[in-house]
């Protein structure tokens, strides 16, 4: 007999992170070294994954590790995403954007986030990067899709490149503060957002048995080899709930380990060792009270 919360759980979750590649053209200091084999999913594997994801969520985030614009079959992937009527969020360092303006034509692309904090790792002038990004955003603004966001970390301790980028933006655009914390409107449908840098979780440091998180409850992540983990911060694939190329995603989400983890979070209890050490979930403490 399934636990009493089974029926509730198997309704749609909010989003699924899909790592179509874990290869990146940068070696940013803030990215964890995951130690996994560097590879990209094949188009057939991605179609198979999307076919399973559609049963649990309509939102796919192309993000965990790696630079998605590096995938050699990205246009084919977006054709599949359009075919399945998925709603896609793409996270990119923006360095390869110049050759990918075709993304503006894809109806499935709901949001694109540009990681401006990667500028320190790019061998480019911030102004050159910004010219390409703002060309893309201007076209997106005119057609009212996709939603665009430039992300910066640590508003009160910005890097040299981030400061130069923000100065460039503020000299050319009138920034309007929004109701969302740390968010400023640049133009219609385009925003600048500040956030605090996080620490990738490891099985070390302070361990707490109580707390809550959105991992597993509202989201899951599928790594490039098909491994399913609770969230995009488990970049090393420590909490392996199953593999979609061996077990269906719905069966993985019916497994005792997955259900116990989710029910634990709902009861403010932590069942997974990695989660006990994770500091990112502290952001959700106020929400749980």
């Amino acid at each position: 007999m399934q636990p009493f919360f089974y029926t509730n759980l198997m309704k749609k979750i909010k989003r699924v992170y899909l790592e179509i590649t874990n290869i990146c053209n940068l070696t940013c200091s803030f990215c964890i070294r995951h130690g996994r084999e560097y590879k990209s999913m094949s188009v057939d594997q991605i179609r198979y994954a999307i076919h399973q994801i559609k049963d649990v969520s309509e939102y796919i985030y192309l993000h965990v590790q790696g630079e998605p614009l590096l995938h050699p079959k990205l246009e084919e992937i977006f054709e599949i995403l359009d075919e399945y009527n998925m709603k896609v969020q793409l996270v990119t360092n923006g360095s390869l954007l110049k050759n990918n303006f075709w993304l503006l034509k894809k109806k499935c692309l709901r949001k694109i986030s540009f990681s401006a904090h990667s500028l320190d790792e790019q061998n480019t002038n911030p102004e050159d990067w910004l010219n390409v990004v703002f060309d893309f955003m201007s076209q997106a603004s005119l057609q009212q899709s996709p939603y665009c966001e430039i992300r910066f970390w640590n508003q009160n301790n910005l890097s040299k490149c981030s400061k130069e980028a923000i100065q460039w933006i503020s000299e050319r655009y009138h920034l309007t503060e929004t109701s969302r914390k740390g968010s400023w409107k640049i133009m219609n449908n385009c925003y600048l957002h500040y956030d605090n840098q996080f620490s990738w979780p490891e099985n070390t440091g302070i361990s707490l048995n109580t707390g809550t998180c959105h991992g597993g409850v509202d989201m899951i992540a599928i790594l490039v080899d098909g491994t399913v983990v609770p969230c995009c911060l488990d970049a090393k694939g420590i909490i392996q709930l199953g593999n979609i190329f061996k077990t269906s995603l719905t069966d993985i989400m019916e497994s005792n380990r997955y259900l116990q983890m989710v029910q634990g979070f709902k009861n403010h209890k932590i069942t997974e060792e990695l989660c006990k050490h994770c500091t990112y979930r502290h952001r959700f403490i106020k929400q749980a009270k």
Side-chain angles (χ1 to χ4, degrees), residues 24 26-34 64-66 153 197 200:
C24 191
L26 302 178
T27 54
C28 298
S29 58
F30 53 76
C31 270
I32 194 170
R33 302 298 174 257
H34 53 70
V64 176
Q65 290 265 285
W153 274 346
Q197 186 172 346
W200 295 88

Side-chain angles (χ1 to χ4, degrees), residues 122-272:
Q122 298 190 37
N123 186 25
T124 187
N125 185 321
E127 185 172 339
D128 294 335
W129 184 88
L130 287 162
N131 279 324
V132 176
V133 169
F134 271 80
D135 187 7
F136 184 96
M137 290 203 310
S138 296
Q139 293 183 50
S141 181
L142 284 173
Q143 66 183 34
Q144 300 184 45
S145 177
Y147 175 99
C148 298
E149 178 183 77
I150 300 182
R151 294 178 176 177
F152 290 92
W153 274 346
N154 307 325
Q155 183 176 4
N156 297 320
N157 188 28
L158 293 167
S159 68
K160 179 177 180 293
C161 284
S162 290
K163 288 179 180 178
E164 290 177 7
I166 291 171
Q167 182 177 349
W168 186 95
I169 296 169
S170 60
E171 287 175 352
R172 290 162 177 78
Y173 298 89
H174 176 70
L175 301 179
T176 306
E177 190 171 9
T178 71
S179 58
R180 180 187 176 194
K181 184 179 179 181
S183 180
W184 300 75
K185 183 176 181 179
I186 303 173
M187 64 183 81
N188 183 45
N189 221 47
C190 299
Y191 297 83
L192 180 155
H193 184 68
Y194 295 104
D195 203 352
N196 294 320
Q197 186 172 346
F198 60 85
S199 297
W200 295 88
E202 301 270 11
N203 281 330
T204 57
I206 297 174
S207 176
L208 298 174
N209 295 320
T210 59
T212 189
C213 188
H214 295 305
V217 180
D218 294 326
M219 70 184 79
I220 56 172
I222 301 172
L223 304 182
V224 71
D225 66 350
T227 298
V228 178
V229 293
C231 76
C232 62
L233 294 188
D234 188 3
K236 290 187 175 182
I238 294 174
I239 305 175
Q240 298 190 9
L241 299 170
N243 189 297
I244 61 165
F245 300 133
K246 299 176 182 179
T247 308
S248 72
L249 184 56
T250 51
D251 282 349
I252 291 171
M253 293 177 66
E254 292 171 14
S255 68
N256 286 334
R257 185 178 184 182
Y258 178 85
L259 295 174
Q260 287 171 5
M261 179 189 66
V262 170
Q263 189 66 8
F265 281 141
K266 290 183 177 181
N267 291 329
H268 214 63
K269 296 178 181 179
I270 304 173
T271 63
E272 293 291 339

Side-chain angles (χ1 to χ4, degrees), residues 86-125:
M86 304 304 293
K87 297 178 180 178
V88 181
Q89 176 167 331
L90 175 67
V91 179
T92 174
N93 60 42
S95 62
L96 305 173
L97 183 64
K98 187 175 182 179
N99 297 321
N100 289 284
F101 273 47
W102 56 265
L103 285 164
L104 289 162
K105 299 178 182 179
K106 308 312 292 183
K107 64 180 182 180
C108 65
L109 185 58
R110 174 182 172 271
K111 179 179 178 181
I112 183 166
S113 297
F114 301 103
S115 300
H117 38 272
S118 69
L119 274 170
D120 295 276
E121 314 292 339
Q122 298 190 37
N123 186 25
T124 187
N125 185 321

Side-chain angles (χ1 to χ4, degrees), residues 31-44:
C31 270
I32 194 170
R33 302 298 174 257
H34 53 70
R36 296 182 280 120
E37 178 187 357
Y38 287 98
K39 60 188 297 185
S40 298
M41 279 189 184
S42 70
V43 172
D44 287 343

